[in-house]
Amino acid sequence: MDDSYFSDAVFIGDSRTDTLKMYAGWENTTYYVKTGTNIWDIMDVVPDDEDRTIDEELQNKQFGKVYIMLGVNELGTGTAETYYQQFKKVVARIRELQPNALIFVESIIHVSAEKDAEGTVINNTEINARNKWLKKTGGQQDDFFIWITMKFWMMRTVH
């Protein structure tokens, strides 16, 4: 597919999605991003370059595809299951606002081996636990789960 595939898409997320916005080169794609945001706040966030919350933006514009990537900022907050329960609520709200869209739930990208070895709450074991739950979200209705690796991400974002 060429870049026109994403002309009816919106990417919702935090700084990792903002990186995609900066480097993918998809000029006709919409991005609702905010560095530091999380699954508990996402629908009330006013994205960079916008005047309304994501919830309000999704009420006023219809998309064919919705991509959601959130999760790193949530590490250390709640459990993998509580994260998943909130993610389901967000997907349900998006489904309500975007009834004809395909929804793509993107996995949380692993951190580097160096970051993982630091022994903080930001680690690949916790990311794996949350991704395991996220896979269930992608099995709902017409929603999809996409496993994102850093290699895939870099291929899409670096020319």
Side-chain angles (χ1 to χ4, degrees), residues 110-125:
H110 287 107
V111 295
S112 68
E114 293 81 15
K115 182 64 181 173
D116 188 51
E118 289 177 4
T120 68
V121 295
I122 301 173
N123 62 72
N124 289 327
T125 299

Side-chain angles (χ1 to χ4, degrees), residues 93-109:
R93 177 64 178 154
I94 292 171
R95 169 69 50 222
E96 182 182 331
L97 298 174
Q98 301 287 314
N100 298 315
L102 297 174
I103 297 178
F104 297 88
V105 174
E106 299 176 79
S107 67
I108 304 168
I109 300 173

Side-chain angles (χ1 to χ4, degrees), residues 35-51:
T35 298
T37 195
N38 63 66
I39 195 64
W40 284 275
D41 297 336
I42 190 65
M43 296 306 283
D44 297 321
V45 164
V46 176
D48 299 336
D49 306 325
E50 300 296 336
D51 297 325

